[in-house]
Amino acid sequence: ERHGLTWIGHTEEHVAAHPARQGDYFRTMRHLSIPVADHRGFRSERPRTVQPAEIKPAVSVAALAGRDKVMADAFGGAGWGVTPDELRHGANLLAAYGVDTQVLRGFFYSMDTAEASDDWPPSFSDPNPCWPHFKTLTEYITRLSAIVNQSKSTASVGVLYPVISVAANTADGRPNSRAIEIAEIYEAVVDGLIGASVDVHLVDETFVSGSRLEGGQLKNGSVAISTLILPPTPVIGRPAMRRMGAFARSGGSVICVGERPSSSSDAGGKDRSVVRSITDIFGVGADTVRGSKIGKGHAYEVTDALPDAIERIVEILNPSTSVASDADVIVVARELAGATVLLTVNRSAAEASATVTTDARGAAQIWNPETAEITQLDLTGTPKKREFTLTLPAHAARAIVFDSS
């Protein structure tokens, strides 16, 4: 960077493969100038999609490391049949999950041979049959990216990155069934919360043990976590365990999904120090609706199976913004120069109506990234809980901006 160069790249996004392929994702990716996320859903899944758990690691690394951009290696290998509407859908998802720079992959130098035209298609340049429409598409992605880049996430929920527990269940580069189960539940929690319009940061043990405690929050740079969610975490480091207890006592909330920590990376299996700390945090009644009180904070055990566990977590969190819709519509809250931005995305392939409830203040406008039009939005409800209903075309996105200035 001192020489005017920007270092970008991505590694493996799925935690089950991290011990064998790269070790600790956060320790490696934080050195990049711009962390990059890859995603597989556009080439391997139908209907095409983008999985939040593939994107959030790079987005979270960028937030924790103070990077001003996060990039997606977007839509590679989607095939010649991918349409502009599907690309718009993918762009909406990447923006909602926190990506502010979308690089379409790739641009073919040559199509002189069958091998060249079949090398990770399509080409997002003049050989593409949809090329005449790409100016409209890139202008759309530019508007979305500007909204994300100039705003910041309001997420106050952290999900612990369970690489140590996965590594403890990996041998000879092969994760065992327990490691795969931990990884799958971890990703399902991330995907499920995003799908329930609860934005999250993924945080590693370095963040937990090294962040400062202020007012019941773990703070590091622009990231402030008031609720920490543990996926199944049989193994944890002692420093993170100690900090978690102090966090809860100072007013934070800890939610454990599945297996509690009982072993440590410092002393091995059945670490008495970890067991004592966990018993102290969760006490009695952590599996009840009200949870267990510890100091100024609370601890909760979620024993429900997925997807019911997501409903229970959302009930505990009681988010300030929620969406009601028969379709797959999500809302992600961000802050932009004193304004609240609710990025509202219809993830379904049909027109959808959604009613959003929020505590955002100020007059509301609808920003349409397709046309750059701005229109006023009528609100109902109470001064503390305001509501609006929005009808979204299939695979469409709108930014709802509340300006309280």
Side-chain angles (χ1 to χ4, degrees), residues 20-227:
R21 298 192 63 177
Q22 71 185 62
D24 188 317
Y25 181 93
F26 283 76
R27 291 182 65 188
T28 54
M29 291 290 288
R30 70 187 181 194
H31 297 289
L32 297 173
S33 309
I34 303 177
V36 180
D38 192 13
H39 61 92
R40 304 170 185 175
F42 254 66
R43 60 180 176 264
S44 62
E45 295 186 31
R46 297 295 184 274
R48 300 183 197 272
T49 190
V50 178
Q51 183 187 6
E54 283 189 308
I55 305 303
K56 276 297 179 180
V59 172
S60 299
V61 166
L64 293 174
R67 302 292 185 256
D68 59 3
K69 289 183 181 296
V70 58
M71 183 183 294
D73 184 0
F75 319 130
W80 289 107
V82 68
T83 66
D85 179 68
E86 290 174 321
L87 296 173
R88 177 187 63 158
H89 171 52
N92 292 342
L93 299 181
L94 290 173
Y97 305 156
V99 170
D100 65 12
T101 305
Q102 301 186 26
V103 178
L104 276 64
R105 176 177 176 179
F107 296 79
F108 287 5
Y109 287 107
S110 171
M111 295 211 9
D112 293 342
T113 65
E115 182 181 19
S117 64
D118 197 38
D119 183 16
W120 216 248
S123 174
F124 293 114
S125 56
D126 60 318
N128 195 301
C130 297
W131 180 245
H133 305 288
F134 268 54
K135 183 176 187 294
T136 301
L137 178 65
T138 54
E139 287 176 348
Y140 177 78
I141 294 175
T142 298
R143 294 186 191 109
L144 273 180
S145 298
I147 291 170
V148 178
N149 179 259
Q150 295 176 36
S151 62
K152 68 175 185 177
S153 171
T154 63
S156 61
V157 177
V159 180
L160 185 67
Y161 166 63
V163 69
I164 292 179
S165 292
V166 172
N169 286 278
T170 299
D172 297 327
R174 296 181 178 87
N176 64 23
S177 60
R178 184 58 179 143
I180 292 171
E181 181 184 26
I182 292 167
E184 288 178 346
I185 294 175
Y186 161 72
E187 293 188 0
V189 167
V190 174
D191 295 342
L193 289 175
I194 298 294
S197 297
V198 177
D199 199 9
V200 301
H201 288 296
L202 309 185
V203 298
D204 62 345
E205 289 193 19
T206 298
F207 169 84
V208 174
S209 61
S211 296
R212 64 187 186 278
L213 278 175
E214 289 185 14
Q217 293 184 315
L218 290 168
K219 289 189 173 182
N220 190 328
S222 64
V223 177
I225 298 301
S226 57
T227 300

Side-chain angles (χ1 to χ4, degrees), residues 226-238:
S226 57
T227 300
L228 181 64
I229 299 175
L230 275 62
T233 310
V235 186
I236 195 169
R238 283 179 171 179

Side-chain angles (χ1 to χ4, degrees), residues 301-330:
E301 273 194 285
V302 175
T303 57
D304 310 65
L306 293 165
D308 292 343
I310 301 300
E311 293 184 16
R312 172 73 178 119
I313 295 170
V314 173
E315 179 186 20
I316 293 167
L317 295 174
N318 189 25
S320 59
T321 297
S322 60
V323 58
S325 177
D326 291 334
D328 186 6
V329 177
I330 65 169

Side-chain angles (χ1 to χ4, degrees), residues 8-20:
I8 68 173
H10 70 84
T11 54
E12 167 64 49
E13 282 74 25
H14 293 275
V15 67
H18 287 178

Side-chain angles (χ1 to χ4, degrees), residues 244-295:
M244 196 186 309
F247 164 65
R249 284 187 288 273
S250 72
S253 293
V254 179
I255 302 174
C256 185
V257 182
E259 186 177 357
R260 296 178 177 184
S262 60
S263 304
S264 77
S265 52
D266 308 273
K270 302 302 179 185
D271 185 334
R272 293 180 181 178
S273 172
V274 168
V275 172
R276 282 196 302 269
S277 295
I278 280 292
T279 303
D280 178 51
I281 292 173
F282 286 92
V284 177
D287 58 348
T288 65
V289 172
R290 300 183 65 179
S292 174
K293 192 83 167 71
I294 171 172

